[in-house]
Amino acid sequence: MVPVRTGVEGLSGMSDDANDPHADWAKWHEHRVDTVSAPYGPLSLTGTHWLADDTDGRIPAVPGRWRATDGGVALSAAPGDGISLDGRPFTGDAVLAADEGSPAHSRIAAGDVRLVVIRREGDWAVRVFDPASKARAAFTGIEATPYDPAFALPGRFRPYGEDRTVQVENADGRERGLGLGGELSFSYQGAEHTLQVAVDEDDGSLWAVFGDTTGGRSSYRFRFLKPGVPGAGGSVTVDFNRAVLPPCAFADHFICPFPPPGNTLPFEVAAGERRLKDALATGI
């Protein structure tokens, strides 16, 4: 769910839309729609099956037997299961680690269906991504507000010095730990605001879960924001035009974290992605 700039590069190496934020945003939005509606995008998720809930090793509508072990997920496949491993037909036993890449590149498949192993706070699960899902077939687009320069705000990141973890409710009703690395401050309409943010340990980019007064009304109940990597002195642009819907807005089987305490803004963020169009706009 990472915002990507997709402007076509010219001979200068710069995007043709680099000086036109409206056109650049339009291309970003088009790319987002293509990404979420791809065969193995979030709309194709049809189930997250926690192995602790399936004590006999059978997952409904999923071939094979699956069992959590200390070293990963043990899969046993019979000839009639139709399972492939790393692109080749597979029978027998294997121990699988958590998938780190996209579902399209998962190691396990059953026909067109991709089976993805995940781990959350020590619990193992198997996710099912089906390109023929009802949600993907019904998808008609994302409601999003066109670019508004008033929502591209200068901000400053202040790290905590050490990571903190807070317990927050997730979309499946369970509480889980959310790691936070600092605060992002910015000014809007003369008032100062802050968001608690996570820091990607690989590239240093920031990530926030936030709510606002449009949540549950004209927007999904909460959204995600990735402001990027802070510059010198922690400077970073807080661009709410790039606010995105969380994965759980596209499928009920994601376990997105809700905003941590203090991350519900007291004003309308009438910018960025707002909700799904038509019948799938069930988050309001």
Side-chain angles (χ1 to χ4, degrees):
M1 306 289 287
V2 179
V4 176
R5 295 181 180 268
T6 60
V8 177
E9 290 188 350
L11 295 178
S12 66
M14 297 292 290
S15 165
D16 291 340
D17 297 316
N19 296 319
D20 185 348
H22 298 271
D24 195 30
W25 180 91
K27 290 195 177 227
W28 169 81
H29 176 61
E30 181 181 359
H31 179 83
R32 274 282 298 167
V33 172
D34 289 344
T35 299
V36 301
S37 61
Y40 299 103
L43 288 163
S44 68
L45 180 65
T46 59
T48 295
H49 303 279
W50 297 98
L51 298 186
D53 298 333
D54 297 285
T55 55
D56 66 349
R58 292 292 188 185
I59 299 174
V62 176
R65 286 185 176 272
W66 305 79
R67 183 170 53 86
T69 71
D70 291 338
V73 171
L75 165 64
S76 297
D81 287 331
I83 288 177
S84 63
L85 172 63
D86 296 331
R88 297 184 177 183
F90 172 74
T91 59
D93 301 308
V95 176
L96 308 169
D99 281 296
E100 300 296 339
S102 69
H105 301 108
S106 64
R107 298 186 65 196
I108 303 294
D112 290 334
V113 173
R114 297 291 188 269
L115 303 173
V116 176
V117 173
I118 67 168
R119 191 181 192 189
R120 298 291 185 273
E121 296 190 329
D123 294 329
W124 292 93
V126 176
R127 279 184 166 157
V128 181
F129 288 84
D130 185 354
S133 71
K134 292 181 179 179
R136 184 167 179 256
F139 178 70
T140 60
I142 301 172
E143 289 186 14
T145 302
Y147 182 84
D148 182 350
F151 280 104
L153 308 167
R156 188 167 301 279
F157 170 66
R158 296 181 179 88
Y160 289 139
E162 61 181 23
D163 288 342
R164 303 177 184 178
T165 299
V166 296
Q167 294 293 312
V168 298
E169 186 178 356
N170 284 211
D172 64 351
R174 291 181 56 183
E175 285 196 354
R176 295 181 176 87
L178 177 64
L180 299 169
E183 291 185 347
L184 181 61
S185 61
F186 60 94
S187 177
Y188 180 70
Q189 294 185 341
E192 289 292 323
H193 303 279
T194 60
L195 291 173
Q196 298 183 82
V197 296
V199 181
D200 190 298
E201 61 183 18
D202 293 326
D203 63 9
S205 61
L206 308 181
W207 172 71
V209 188
F210 77 94
D212 69 284
T213 59
T214 69
R217 298 190 297 113
S218 59
S219 298
Y220 192 73
R221 51 187 171 174
F222 63 95
R223 289 177 281 174
F224 287 176
L225 183 69
K226 293 205 71 171
V229 180
S235 62
V236 62
T237 298
V238 183
D239 190 355
F240 287 109
N241 293 287
R242 305 296 176 107
V244 298
L245 296 177
C248 53
F250 301 96
D252 292 336
H253 308 286
F254 286 105
I255 54 172
C256 306
F258 289 178
N263 271 31
T264 298
L265 298 170
F267 59 88
E268 291 191 356
V269 179
E273 295 182 354
R274 309 293 293 275
R275 57 186 176 185
L276 297 190
K277 291 183 178 179
D278 302 331
L280 287 183
T282 57
I284 63 171

